[in-house]
Amino acid sequence: QVSPALRTPRLPVWLCSVSGRHGVLFGTDSRLLSDWKSERIFHLYFYSGQQEQTQTARLTIDTHSHRWEEAQREGPCSPGKRYPALEMAIRTKWAGATVSWNGTDPLF
């Protein structure tokens, strides 16, 4: 029998497979599961266990920023307008969100 905590997690957790690599994207704020107002600016953490990742990446997600929309208007083929696959995966949940890597080199 599955524990109720496994069926309904207390913290947001996603298992990711991005560009053929696996990792865990998680948050430490339980309000992300139940209060849509907490989805304005929040932090997510990503850990892949790969050798090149020496520490957990702390990402700041801003769902109300307009920088992503402005970048879209410039055209998808504009030079220098490539985004890491993990950011694109995050945007499948929060469309239009901007992702700050807080000084960590983007993974993938």
Side-chain angles (χ1 to χ4, degrees):
Q1 182 168 354
V2 177
S3 164
L6 291 176
R7 291 182 293 202
T8 308
R10 297 179 194 272
L11 296 172
V13 176
W14 296 272
L15 298 176
C16 303
S17 177
V18 180
S19 299
R21 295 186 177 186
H22 298 84
V24 177
L25 184 66
F26 62 95
T28 57
D29 186 355
S30 62
R31 293 178 302 157
L32 282 175
L33 295 172
S34 59
D35 183 11
W36 62 269
K37 294 175 195 168
S38 64
E39 292 184 0
R40 167 70 169 91
I41 295 177
F42 56 95
H43 300 287
L44 293 178
Y45 301 86
F46 182 76
Y47 183 72
S48 67
Q50 300 292 323
Q51 286 182 333
E52 63 268 11
Q53 186 179 7
T54 58
Q55 61 184 1
T56 302
R58 181 176 181 256
L59 310 172
T60 301
I61 314 301
D62 182 351
T63 61
H64 289 96
S65 175
H66 296 288
R67 289 179 286 168
W68 170 255
E69 294 170 2
E70 291 168 6
Q72 285 265 341
R73 283 187 221 128
E74 294 176 13
C77 298
S78 299
K81 294 298 176 191
R82 296 185 55 119
Y83 296 95
L86 183 59
E87 287 186 30
M88 299 308 290
I90 290 169
R91 289 185 187 110
T92 64
K93 169 77 173 141
W94 294 283
T98 57
V99 179
S100 170
W101 288 79
N102 299 312
T104 304
D105 289 334
L107 302 168
F108 307 136

